[in-house]
């Protein structure tokens, strides 16, 4: 069964590659013809293509022309001749595929081809990179080529002004980091005036390192948060208190699931110290929450692994990229709990104003594609979520890097001694070495070992971000020793210095396996680029963090069954085992992502419809019409409760009706005998119609629209924020609450829609109250005037 599936994929791939080869032949024929044209002729052709591409998107001939012209432009400006495999990768991306191209194959310049084709369609292309360093680097490198072709390029940086961002988005191509595009989308939907928005419609997105973004980053949603002041005392008190608690006596830690729980003994201590009867009682929820977060801060969050403290601030380190997650904070009070533990000033707590998952953000684009060296293992997820296929493009030259088998050690100390021996040996002949680590702490540990041996090195981690470019540019030179966290694991191009190829190229040492095999392969991929020679090897000890967290039991067994040697053991069974552990973690992470995604999909429909409505309001659509809609629905709903159809008017309690509606009793006790509640509803509605007509009368219409737009937006935004808060609680709830036989996702869906309905009711009520309270203009009187 499996082999049939593999065969089908293989057949599809080979057919796809055959097709791409034919296409490449056509492109190259045209490219050769273009080589004799002058620059002006090529530029005029580009202008002509701009008009054609928009009209005739399906014609392959226009596309051949576009690709041939781009290839010629790359040659004239950068001096590089695009390889056939690059043309293949570029073309695959224009056909809703992800191009899987090995590390170092030149994806950056390949991307010019599909970007140019998309840009000619005239709707704007977003080129998404995994970090700002790559965005700025690719922007600067690609700009001259695009400009030659008459394509305008912009860079969207975090922290730029609204005007600078608008300009960047108006360009044909906009480079930037994934989270910044997502945040701009959210901010645009919080804007109170159209001119505060920065994005155009979301048309084309090409994601570089697409697995990093759609898979690794996708566990944490993007959140725009407002601030409320944290209660510092309680955080500091809790932080000091949990310092005294002991693992296994007062609390337990599940490192695999990343959870902490208090033991009965721990709870007793808390109840005694905080002088409370029952920690789980509703009135103590707050204390419990603070204590739990403080305990998580103490037991699960490690300085220089999960976060760093810089300038008295706590910044999150992304485990996949080794970089600071700019602009992001731990939520739910964990940030403040860590700050209290580190004894730095507390940042204000977050109130969510807007939130979206990365997967959902990218599903908003009309056209999505991307490229990476490492995505095959996640093909199914990508296909299910985005309907994208993966085309594996062959390498230009055979890969010459030799990936050695992992070496295993009993202890960390033995591992580091062997790594040092290896580094020393290679350094002695001048071969450059890159040592990859999984955390800042580990990178510093390696540095101290090198220091002790008197070996020169460069250290690249999130604390030294500023030096990134210069460290990387020297990493391939003779004799260089570079220690780096995963920061150097993606996109970084280490070019070999003179004479280095003869020494065997760059040697990569992995000091620990990462949770995901893709990240390890990215690290290996810093070497052996463009057919260069190179080598890589991972060193693993039974005391590694990954093993202690996820496979400590199994490691115990291996300790007694293997013939260990101080200089390391190469054992196929251990290799297979470590891969199995990684696969298990990948599966766990996949489940977390799917859960986050499924829940966000439910909210997504609500978000889209809320944002659409909000946009209409901001864009100046008839505000009176919206208000009236709410009033009519509110009155109908209200009547159903207080004067239901089946009741005769004699049964109405006029004083209750008057009190509940805020209208004068004489409106209900009208001279006319009313037949039923419906007639009463009509009377009330016409009262409000008359009131709205007065408020929005011609002489003060524009002023009034402005004022009511602002009032209405405030009502909408408050209600939405409250809704998000409720959804967050609901989400927490479903992890703890037992739904009996009910599927938790289904239960979440039903409750989420109920909450949405409640939010709409709140909006109606607030609009009703606001209009009711509004004073009429002088000289006007209606029978039901507010009492
Ligand atoms: N056609 C070409 N001819 C010569 N050199 C090229 C060509 N294409 C790319 N290169 C060079 O190859 C190196 C690797 O390119 P690049 O960094 O874009 O690779 P990549 O595929 O993005 O790698 P990674 O997967 O690690 O991000 C760069 O130094 C680039 O200048």
């Amino acid at each position: 069964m499996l082999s049939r599936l593999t065969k089908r994929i293989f057949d599809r791939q080979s057919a796809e590659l055959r097709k791409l080869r034919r296409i490449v032949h056509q492109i190259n024929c045209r490219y050769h013809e273009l080589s004799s044209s002058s620059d002006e002729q090529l530029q005029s052709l580009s202008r002509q293509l701009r008009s054609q591409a928009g009209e005739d998107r399906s014609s392959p001939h226009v596309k051949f022309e576009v690709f041939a012209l781009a290839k010629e432009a790359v040659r004239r400006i950068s001096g590089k001749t695009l390889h056939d495999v690059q043309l293949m990768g570029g073309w695959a991306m224009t056909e809703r595929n992800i191009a899987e191209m090995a590390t170092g194959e030149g994806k950056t310049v390949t991307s010019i081809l599909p970007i140019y084709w998309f840009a000619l369609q005239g709707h704007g292309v977003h080129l998404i990179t995994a970090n700002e360093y790559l965005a700025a680097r690719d922007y600067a490198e690609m700009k001259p080529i695009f400009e030659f072709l008459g394509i305008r390029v912009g860079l969207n940086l975090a922290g730029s002004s609204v005007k600078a961002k608008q300009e960047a988005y108006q360009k044909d191509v906009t480079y930037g980091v994934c989270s910044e595009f997502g945040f701009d989308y959210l901010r645009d939907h919080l804007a109170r005036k159209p001119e505060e928005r920065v994005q155009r419609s979301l048309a084309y997105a090409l994601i570089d390192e697409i697995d990093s973004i759609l898979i690794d980053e996708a566990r944490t949603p993007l959140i725009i948060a407002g601030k409320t002041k944290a209660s510092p005392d309680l955080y500091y008190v809790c932080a000091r208190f949990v310092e005294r608690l002991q693992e296994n006596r007062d609390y337990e830690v599940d490192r695999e699931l990343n959870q902490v729980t208090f033991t009965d003994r721990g709870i007793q201590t808390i109840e005694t110290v905080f002088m409370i009867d029952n920690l789980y009682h509703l009135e103590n929820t707050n204390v419990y929450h603070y204590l739990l977060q403080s305990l998580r801060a103490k037991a699960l969050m490690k300085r220089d692994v999960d976060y760093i403290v810089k300038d008295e601030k706590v910044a999150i380190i992304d485990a996949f990229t080794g970089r600071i997650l700019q602009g992001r904070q731990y939520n739910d009070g964990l940030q403040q709990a860590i700050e209290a533990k580190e004894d730095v000033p507390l940042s204000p707590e977050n109130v969510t104003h807007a939130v979206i998952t990365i997967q959902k953000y990218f599903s908003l684009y009309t056209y999505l594609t991307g490229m990476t060296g490492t995505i095959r293992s996640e093909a199914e997820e990508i296909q299910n979520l985005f309907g994208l296929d993966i085309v594996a493009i062959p390498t230009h030259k055979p890969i010459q890097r030799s990936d050695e088998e992992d070496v295993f050690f009993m202890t960390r100390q033995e591992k580091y001694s062997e790594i040092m021996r290896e580094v020393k040996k290679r350094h002695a002949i001048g071969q450059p070495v890159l040592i990859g680590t999984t955390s800042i702490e580990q990178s510093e540990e390696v540095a101290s070992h090198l220091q002790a041996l008197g070996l020169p090195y460069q250290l690249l981690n999130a604390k030294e971000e500023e030096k990134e470019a210069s460290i990387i540019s020297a990493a391939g030179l003779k004799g260089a020793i570079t220690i780096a966290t995963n920061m150097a694991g993606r996109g970084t191009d280490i070019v070999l210095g003179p004479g280095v190829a003869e020494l065997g190229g760059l040697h990569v040492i992995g000091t620990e396996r990462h949770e995901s095999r893709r990240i390890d392969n990215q690290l290996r991929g810093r070497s052996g680029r463009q057919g260069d020679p190179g080598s890589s090897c991972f060193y693993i000890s039974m005391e590694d963090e990954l093993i202690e967290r996820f496979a400590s039991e199994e490691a115990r067994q291996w300790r007694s069954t293997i013939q260990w040697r101080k200089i390391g053991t190469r054992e196929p069974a251990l290799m297979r085992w470590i891969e199995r552990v990684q696969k298990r973690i990948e599966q766990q992470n996949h489940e977390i992502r799917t859960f986050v995604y499924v829940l966000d999909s439910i909210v997504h429909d609500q978000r889209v419809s809320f944002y659409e409505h909000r946009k209409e309001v901001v864009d100046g659509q008839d505000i009176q019409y919206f208000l009236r809609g709410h009033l009519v629905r509110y009155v109908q709903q209200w009547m159903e409760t207080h004067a239901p159809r089946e009741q005769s008017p004699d049964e109405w309690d006029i004083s209750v009706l008057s009190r509940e509606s805020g209208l004068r009793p004489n409106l209900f006790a009208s001279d006319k005998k009313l037949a039923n509640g419906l007639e009463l509803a009509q009377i009330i509605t016409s009262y409000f119609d008359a009131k709205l007509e007065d408020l929005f009368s011609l002489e003060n219409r524009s002023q009034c629209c402005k004022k009511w737009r602002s009032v209405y937006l405030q009502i909408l935004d408050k209600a939405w924020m409250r809704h998000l808060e409720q959804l967050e609680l609901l989400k927490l709830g479903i992890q703890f609450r037992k739904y009996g036989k009910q599927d938790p996702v289904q239960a979440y869906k039903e409750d989420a829609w109920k909450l949405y309905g409640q939010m709409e009711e709140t909006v109606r009520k607030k609009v009703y109250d606001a209009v009711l309270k509004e004073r009429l203009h002088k000289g006007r009187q209606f029978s039901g005037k507010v009492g």
Side-chain angles (χ1 to χ4, degrees):
M1 178 67 193
L2 190 70
S3 66
R4 220 187 293 159
L5 182 70
T6 320
K7 187 170 173 311
R8 236 189 19 236
I9 296 172
F10 183 74
D11 288 348
R12 198 190 147 266
Q13 281 283 341
S14 349
E16 191 66 37
L17 292 182
R18 275 199 303 279
K19 184 190 92 184
L20 288 172
R21 284 204 178 92
R22 282 196 298 274
I23 289 169
V24 165
H25 175 71
Q26 303 259 29
I27 298 170
N28 281 335
C29 291
R30 182 63 187 132
Y31 159 74
H32 291 304
E33 286 169 15
L34 289 177
S35 61
S36 55
S37 306
S38 68
D39 287 359
E40 290 69 30
Q41 282 168 326
L42 295 184
Q43 283 161 345
S44 140
L45 179 60
S46 188
R47 279 193 295 278
Q48 210 180 315
L49 284 170
R50 194 187 267 270
S51 56
Q52 274 177 353
E55 287 160 18
D56 199 0
R57 228 164 287 176
S58 55
S59 159
H61 292 286
V62 180
K63 213 152 121 186
F64 292 149
E65 194 85 352
V66 168
F67 271 57
L69 178 53
K71 178 168 174 174
E72 180 58 14
V74 170
R75 191 187 65 80
R76 287 195 190 187
I77 306 298
S78 75
K80 289 188 188 97
T81 306
L82 285 175
H83 308 309
D84 288 355
V85 288
Q86 290 177 312
L87 297 179
M88 288 161 77
W91 192 280
M93 283 187 265
T94 63
E95 295 192 327
R96 291 197 186 270
N97 296 303
I98 291 176
E100 188 182 48
M101 297 172 73
T103 44
E105 277 297 289
K107 287 184 281 295
T108 317
V109 65
T110 300
S111 68
I112 292 235
L113 304 161
I115 296 178
Y116 180 38
W117 168 247
F118 299 145
L120 291 173
Q121 319 295 326
H123 305 293
V125 189
H126 295 173
L127 191 284
I128 319 283
T129 61
N131 60 61
E132 225 162 54
Y133 162 75
L134 293 178
R137 184 198 73 179
D138 294 354
Y139 163 78
E141 273 181 26
M142 300 302 126
K143 195 173 176 207
I145 304 173
F146 280 123
E147 281 182 345
F148 177 86
L149 292 165
I151 299 291
R152 297 162 311 134
V153 201
L155 180 61
N156 176 33
L157 291 175
S160 305
S161 67
V162 168
K163 191 161 169 291
K165 276 180 173 283
Q166 282 166 340
E167 277 168 17
Y169 278 114
Q170 280 308 317
K171 299 281 163 62
D172 299 307
V173 183
T174 313
Y175 279 81
V177 183
C178 146
S179 51
E180 197 52 25
F181 285 97
F183 283 138
D184 283 338
Y185 168 79
L186 293 177
R187 277 191 290 259
D188 276 3
H189 287 92
L190 292 170
R192 307 201 112 230
K193 293 182 192 142
E195 59 272 24
E196 287 170 7
R197 294 194 200 115
V198 297
Q199 286 188 337
R200 292 194 269 166
S201 62
L202 301 176
Y204 292 91
L206 194 159
I207 310 181
D208 188 9
E209 309 292 355
I210 193 165
D211 59 318
S212 163
I213 288 164
L214 295 188
I215 304 289
D216 300 336
E217 289 224 16
R219 279 192 304 177
T220 356
L222 301 172
I223 299 175
I224 300 263
K227 307 288 179 197
T228 57
K229 213 168 165 315
S231 11
D233 294 348
L234 201 45
Y235 277 114
Y236 287 119
V237 168
C238 291
R240 297 296 86 85
F241 171 76
V242 297
E243 263 173 27
R244 291 190 280 144
L245 300 186
Q246 272 180 28
E247 190 171 343
N248 298 329
R249 187 190 69 184
D250 304 311
Y251 63 91
E252 278 164 2
V253 182
D254 183 334
R255 293 200 162 71
E256 192 167 339
L257 293 177
N258 222 20
Q259 277 174 2
V260 285
T261 37
F262 290 109
T263 58
D264 288 347
R265 166 105 187 253
I267 290 167
Q268 269 172 19
T269 315
I270 293 171
E271 289 173 348
T272 317
V273 173
F274 286 80
M275 291 190 290
I276 46 182
D277 286 341
N278 181 356
L279 179 64
Y280 292 120
H281 201 272
L282 207 59
E283 65 189 22
N284 298 321
T285 318
N286 228 9
V287 179
Y288 177 62
H289 179 74
Y290 278 56
L291 280 167
L292 198 64
Q293 293 301 40
S294 303
L295 184 62
R296 290 183 69 199
K298 167 190 157 114
L300 298 173
M301 310 308 294
K302 258 176 107 179
R303 183 171 175 162
D304 288 346
V305 176
D306 302 297
Y307 63 90
I308 54 169
V309 181
K310 202 173 177 184
D311 305 329
E312 295 226 297
K313 287 197 178 76
V314 169
I316 308 182
I317 300 293
D318 180 7
F320 288 95
T321 62
R323 286 168 193 276
I324 294 179
L325 278 176
Q326 294 295 353
R328 299 214 218 166
Q329 268 200 359
Y330 293 108
N331 49 17
D332 242 359
L334 182 59
Q335 178 82 18
Q336 290 70 21
I338 298 173
E339 287 163 346
K341 165 181 140 184
E342 296 293 346
D343 215 4
V344 297
L346 298 198
S347 42
E349 275 193 69
N350 291 339
V351 196
T352 304
H353 285 202
V355 57
I356 191 166
T357 53
I358 285 175
Q359 297 99 315
K360 273 295 165 198
Y361 171 69
F362 283 109
S363 71
L364 294 167
Y365 281 86
T366 323
Y367 191 102
L368 179 68
T369 183
M371 48 191 191
T372 176
T374 44
I375 194 153
R376 188 122 301 274
S377 55
E378 292 354 287
E380 200 182 324
E381 183 171 336
I382 293 289
Q383 168 63 252
N384 288 344
L385 293 187
F386 300 98
L388 292 170
D389 278 323
I390 294 163
V391 179
I393 306 291
T395 53
H396 172 54
K397 288 185 191 162
I399 296 178
Q400 280 203 56
R401 189 186 61 235
S402 85
D403 295 326
E404 294 165 19
E405 282 177 9
D406 295 3
V407 194
F408 290 82
F409 300 84
M410 188 86 136
T411 66
R412 275 169 82 90
Q413 207 193 344
E414 286 165 6
K415 174 174 87 169
Y416 282 122
S417 314
E418 187 55 22
I419 291 177
M420 289 306 127
R421 217 180 51 78
E422 188 66 27
V423 174
K424 214 168 151 185
K425 192 178 87 189
R426 305 225 177 219
H427 181 69
I429 58 160
Q431 185 179 17
V433 182
L434 172 71
I435 310 173
T437 63
T438 53
S439 67
I440 298 178
E441 190 186 42
Q442 207 193 12
S443 69
E444 287 170 348
E445 192 176 346
V446 173
S448 67
H449 285 293
L450 289 172
Q451 193 122 28
L453 290 175
L455 290 172
Y457 63 85
Q458 290 286 342
L459 176 60
L460 175 63
N461 60 34
K463 289 181 177 171
E464 307 279 348
E465 243 169 1
E466 311 74 36
K467 295 196 212 144
E468 179 161 9
S470 67
I471 293 180
I472 291 302
S473 64
L477 299 180
K478 238 184 198 168
I481 301 175
T482 314
I483 313 167
T485 55
N486 293 327
M487 261 176 88
R490 254 185 206 277
T492 31
D493 185 33
I494 299 179
V495 181
L496 300 186
V500 168
E502 292 75 32
L503 298 170
L506 178 72
H507 182 64
V508 172
I509 290 180
T511 54
E512 209 170 288
R513 285 272 197 152
H514 189 272
E515 284 184 21
S516 152
R517 286 167 297 163
R518 286 177 297 103
I519 307 292
D520 293 340
N521 291 337
Q522 285 289 347
L523 176 65
R524 290 190 201 277
R526 297 317 97 202
S527 157
R529 299 164 77 78
Q530 295 275 311
D532 280 343
S535 49
S536 75
C537 184
F538 275 75
Y539 292 72
I540 297 158
S541 93
M542 291 291 120
E543 292 173 349
D544 285 357
E545 165 91 16
L546 181 93
I547 292 176
E548 284 192 343
R549 248 186 91 185
F550 296 99
S552 53
E553 228 8 83
E554 293 152 86
R556 204 163 299 150
Q557 289 171 14
W558 285 118
R559 278 199 182 96
S560 53
T561 49
I562 292 280
Q563 283 281 335
W564 294 97
R565 298 190 319 154
K566 279 204 174 353
I567 54 156
T569 309
R570 283 199 160 96
E571 179 64 58
L574 282 172
M575 278 283 279
R576 286 197 297 275
W577 166 64
I578 197 84
E579 290 226 346
R580 274 202 307 278
V581 174
Q582 284 180 304
K583 273 191 196 160
R584 211 164 61 210
I585 307 168
E586 284 166 12
Q587 181 59 27
Q588 253 179 38
N589 286 339
H590 163 76
E591 281 160 21
I592 296 173
R593 270 191 317 272
T594 311
F595 189 67
V596 170
Y597 176 78
V598 167
L599 297 193
D600 193 47
S601 303
I602 295 165
V603 181
H604 190 66
D605 294 341
Q606 302 182 352
R607 180 171 44 230
V608 168
S609 107
F610 177 82
Y611 279 172
E612 258 169 28
H613 177 57
R614 197 185 180 284
K615 186 164 183 292
E616 287 171 349
V617 179
V618 175
D619 284 347
Q621 287 215 9
D622 190 354
I623 190 81
Q624 185 181 349
Y625 169 80
F626 290 135
L627 297 182
R628 186 178 186 277
H630 285 303
L631 291 168
V632 170
R633 303 241 327 253
Y634 181 76
V635 171
Q636 273 168 1
Q637 196 182 322
W638 181 85
M639 294 303 298
E640 276 159 27
T641 324
H642 300 286
R645 237 170 254 247
E646 58 280 5
Q647 254 181 20
S648 96
D650 303 335
E651 294 172 69
W652 297 343
D653 184 336
I654 303 291
S655 63
V656 172
L657 287 181
S658 164
R659 194 181 63 236
E660 291 292 323
S661 65
L663 297 167
R664 282 196 164 172
N666 62 355
L667 190 78
F668 305 98
S670 109
D671 297 341
K672 277 190 285 166
K673 190 92 182 99
L674 296 174
N676 52 36
L678 220 58
E679 280 189 24
L680 182 57
Q682 272 162 10
I683 290 187
I684 300 179
T685 310
S686 37
Y687 158 75
F688 276 106
D689 275 341
K691 186 162 184 179
L692 286 178
E693 281 308 317
D694 175 71
L695 294 174
F696 286 84
S697 61
L698 268 183
E699 65 265 26
N700 50 316
R701 188 162 179 85
S702 86
Q703 202 52 28
C704 196
C705 284
K706 200 167 153 205
K707 174 187 159 176
W708 278 96
R709 178 158 300 116
S710 161
V711 171
Y712 184 44
L713 279 177
Q714 233 168 41
I715 292 176
L716 285 178
D717 290 346
K718 265 199 179 153
W720 179 247
M721 263 163 61
R722 169 98 188 110
H723 179 58
L724 292 179
E725 207 179 298
Q726 302 268 58
L727 287 173
E728 206 44 50
L729 288 176
L730 193 65
K731 207 188 301 175
L732 284 179
I734 65 165
Q735 290 167 29
F736 300 115
R737 213 176 348 145
K738 284 264 171 283
Y739 270 92
K741 292 204 176 74
Q742 219 181 349
D743 165 18
V745 172
Q746 187 57 29
Y748 177 84
K749 186 173 183 176
E750 282 166 20
D751 286 356
W753 280 106
K754 257 186 230 151
L755 287 174
Y756 193 74
Q758 284 171 14
M759 180 193 84
E760 288 180 319
E761 274 177 33
T762 311
V763 169
R764 270 176 232 140
K765 164 108 180 72
K766 296 268 176 208
V767 168
Y768 179 91
D769 288 347
V771 176
L772 188 72
K773 272 200 218 113
E774 183 70 4
R775 290 197 166 278
L776 290 167
H777 295 106
K778 272 192 209 116
R780 304 293 292 265
Q781 284 271 316
F782 296 108
S783 53
K785 195 176 172 207
V786 193

